[in-house]
Amino acid sequence: MTDFKHVTDGFFVAPQIDPEDIVRAKGEGFTGVIVNRPDGEMLGQPSMEKMAGLAEAAGMSFGAAPISGPPTLDDIAAMEAALDAGGDKVI
């Protein structure tokens, strides 16, 4: 089970979440999931496609804002867009 760390009332962060964490997040009132890790960054990590399907099946928004290296202005814009679309409580 992944630990969701509170940043603000509507924004939480975590290390790599697993598929079962999405179900738990929905149960805890989360409305959106944002993934910052590019596909294939770590052996065994679930793909963005899989996580998007699980989030959407749970009735949550899904945002992909993968970052490799220092964030660029485009990375920041992608994260802002994902946050805006994420609803009231995002992990």
Side-chain angles (χ1 to χ4, degrees), residues 20-44:
E20 56 271 5
D21 290 322
I22 289 181
V23 174
R24 183 173 63 94
K26 177 64 176 180
E28 292 181 15
F30 285 89
T31 56
V33 175
I34 301 171
V35 174
N36 296 118
R37 196 173 252 181
D39 275 342
E41 182 181 65
M42 187 173 123
L43 184 63

Side-chain angles (χ1 to χ4, degrees), residues 6-67:
H6 176 263
V7 177
T8 69
D9 287 340
F11 181 60
F12 292 67
V13 296
Q16 176 68 52
I17 62 172
D18 294 317
E20 56 271 5
D21 290 322
I22 289 181
V23 174
R24 183 173 63 94
K26 177 64 176 180
E28 292 181 15
F30 285 89
T31 56
V33 175
I34 301 171
V35 174
N36 296 118
R37 196 173 252 181
D39 275 342
E41 182 181 65
M42 187 173 123
L43 184 63
Q45 85 185 50
S47 70
M48 281 202 208
E49 182 178 352
K50 179 175 184 165
M51 298 301 275
L54 292 168
E56 290 166 7
M60 301 168 73
S61 70
F62 179 83
I67 299 172

